[in-house]
Amino acid sequence: MEGLGIKRVPQASFWQGKRVLVTGHTGFKGSWLALWLARMGADVFGIALPANSNSLYVHAGINTCCHSHIADIRDISNLRSLIASIQPEIVFHLAAQALVREGYERPTETSTTNIIGTVNVLESLRTCPALKVVLCITTDKVYHNKEWVWAYRESDRLGGYDPYSASKAAAELMVDAYRTSFYESMGVSLATARAGNVIGGGDWSKDRLLPDAARAWSRGEVLAVRRPNSIRPWQHVLDCLNGYLVYAEYLHSEKNYVKSLNFGPDSFGVATVKEVITTASQLYKKAPCHFHDVLMGPHEAGLLMLDSALAKQTLGVSTLWSLETSIRRTMAWYQAFNQGGSASELCQADLNALEAACPH
């Protein structure tokens, strides 16, 4: 199932020397993105809240490959000053409250971070004359989910059942407003990327399936799995970031660009929670699981799929690693780290493997 049609990967020659800002660089995807950009020779800057002590940012020493600024994007005065000092050419806006269940627990903070924080970033960037591209990362959950069997396309209606999903849908609307009101006249490409569930080594976020599994199994505990029959699009974090990076390259060169793209796996990457965790358990020496038949906790989507055909057509990218390979590499990462392996070296090994499998 490997090598299913991917045609484009990031070009190091493009990123060499580019001033790139990553908001949310202390998070899981942000850390991987900063590492990959630095590897390609970009001059990487980051703005984010402090990293958790148990995070990829800390364990892999991401601060050594970027200029890190610890700040809250809700503080527009400080944010303006930082962005004015950075003067980026390309921006990846990832800073967000990114967990559905935490959105239920802290709806005000989720809304202000994801909506007002995005507005603050876009407003602060308006004074950057070298700015060429801004890519705002949202989620597959921005769609008004009818829990049907059809995958959502970029033209489908936006919405949100829960505070997190609604906040990201609202952020999409603000991005669209800033594009038409300001950024088009500035000559800056402003777009959004909507991705499904990502997996990969170095994620220790709570209420995420494989991080929860790695934590429980490393302590010899039984993993309690809620909503085992929920269906999601799963992909490795590097497959997802590959799409973001190639999209940014495209936005840098195209004037009549596609404004939003879905980034999800091919059909083989759509699976139930139970199927994913069963595979992970087998790879982790048959670690134990307990599946709850009764729905636990607040509402979460039971069926959600993305149609990524437009990204494939526009950018020439598609999934590189099968779901089984993505799970295998993820669990191997956690096992090696728990046995004393270097997080930085494990990340570089995954990048080496991905680049070796890609045509150049």
Side-chain angles (χ1 to χ4, degrees):
M1 297 292 288
E2 302 300 341
L4 297 183
I6 194 165
K7 299 180 180 70
R8 287 195 60 190
V9 293
Q11 301 300 304
S13 58
F14 172 86
W15 294 100
Q16 182 73 37
K18 290 284 195 305
R19 292 177 70 85
V20 183
L21 170 62
V22 178
T23 71
H25 70 295
T26 59
F28 170 56
K29 282 204 290 188
S31 292
W32 272 105
L33 180 57
L35 183 67
W36 198 347
L37 285 164
R39 176 183 169 106
M40 293 189 292
D43 193 10
V44 186
F45 297 80
I47 296 176
L49 294 174
N52 294 326
S53 58
N54 187 30
S55 65
L56 183 63
Y57 179 84
V58 171
H59 292 309
I62 302 300
N63 64 306
T64 64
C65 67
C66 68
H67 309 280
S68 181
H69 300 278
I70 303 304
D72 191 328
I73 60 172
R74 293 173 296 179
D75 181 353
I76 191 169
S77 178
N78 188 36
L79 186 64
R80 283 184 194 273
S81 177
L82 285 174
I83 287 178
S85 69
I86 294 169
Q87 289 295 315
E89 182 176 348
I90 298 174
V91 178
F92 294 92
H93 174 45
L94 282 77
Q97 193 300 97
L99 299 173
V100 171
R101 287 166 71 88
E102 191 164 332
Y104 280 108
E105 297 167 4
R106 298 191 295 171
T108 301
E109 182 174 335
T110 297
S111 299
T112 54
T113 299
N114 294 351
I115 304 171
I116 303 303
T118 296
V119 170
N120 289 346
V121 169
L122 295 176
E123 185 66 19
S124 300
L125 288 169
R126 289 175 59 196
T127 60
C128 297
L131 187 66
K132 299 296 182 184
V133 172
V134 182
L135 182 57
C136 295
I137 310 305
T138 60
T139 173
D140 57 351
K141 297 174 182 64
V142 297
Y143 293 108
H144 178 67
N145 189 10
K146 298 181 180 180
E147 307 232 6
W148 54 21
V149 296
W150 296 282
Y152 290 96
R153 297 179 178 180
E154 290 82 355
S155 57
D156 284 328
R157 175 187 169 189
L158 302 183
Y161 182 99
D162 60 272
Y164 165 73
S165 302
S167 72
K168 297 300 276 187
E172 288 263 1
L173 295 176
M174 292 308 302
V175 169
D176 190 54
Y178 262 76
R179 182 191 304 112
T180 55
S181 298
F182 308 112
Y183 278 68
E184 286 180 351
S185 61
M186 292 164 56
V188 175
S189 297
L190 172 59
T192 61
R194 304 161 183 171
N197 288 32
V198 297
I199 59 177
D203 188 1
W204 283 279
S205 301
K206 67 177 183 177
D207 292 329
R208 285 184 179 164
L209 185 62
L210 294 189
D212 285 349
R215 267 190 296 269
W217 295 340
S218 68
R219 297 191 293 257
E221 299 173 357
V222 176
L223 174 68
V225 181
R226 68 180 193 274
R227 303 179 186 272
N229 296 318
S230 293
I231 298 173
R232 295 287 187 275
W234 310 85
Q235 62 183 322
H236 195 276
V237 63
L238 292 183
D239 260 322
C240 179
L241 295 180
N242 179 70
Y244 295 171
L245 289 162
V246 174
Y247 194 13
E249 292 176 11
Y250 158 87
L251 292 168
H252 196 272
S253 62
E254 293 290 335
K255 292 184 179 179
N256 297 316
Y257 59 92
V258 176
K259 309 300 190 294
S260 296
L261 284 176
N262 290 337
F263 292 97
D266 293 316
S267 58
F268 64 82
V270 177
T272 66
V273 168
K274 186 173 184 178
E275 289 169 334
V276 169
I277 206 62
T278 298
T279 300
S281 173
Q282 293 168 348
L283 293 168
Y284 208 94
K285 298 179 181 179
K286 297 184 178 179
C289 305
H290 175 68
F291 298 102
H292 289 275
D293 296 326
V294 179
L295 294 182
M296 302 173 61
H299 174 273
E300 295 181 57
L303 175 60
L304 179 58
M305 296 185 291
L306 286 181
D307 184 333
S308 300
L310 186 58
K312 294 177 187 178
Q313 179 183 16
T314 304
L315 307 178
V317 297
S318 60
T319 307
L320 178 66
W321 282 342
S322 69
L323 179 55
E324 190 278 336
T325 298
S326 298
I327 298 171
R328 174 171 52 80
R329 296 203 71 91
T330 299
M331 302 319 294
W333 196 105
Y334 285 118
Q335 286 180 306
F337 179 80
N338 289 338
Q339 293 168 5
S342 161
S344 178
E345 292 177 4
L346 291 169
C347 290
Q348 294 293 347
D350 274 353
L351 282 164
N352 290 339
L354 181 131
E355 291 179 352
C358 295
H360 292 278

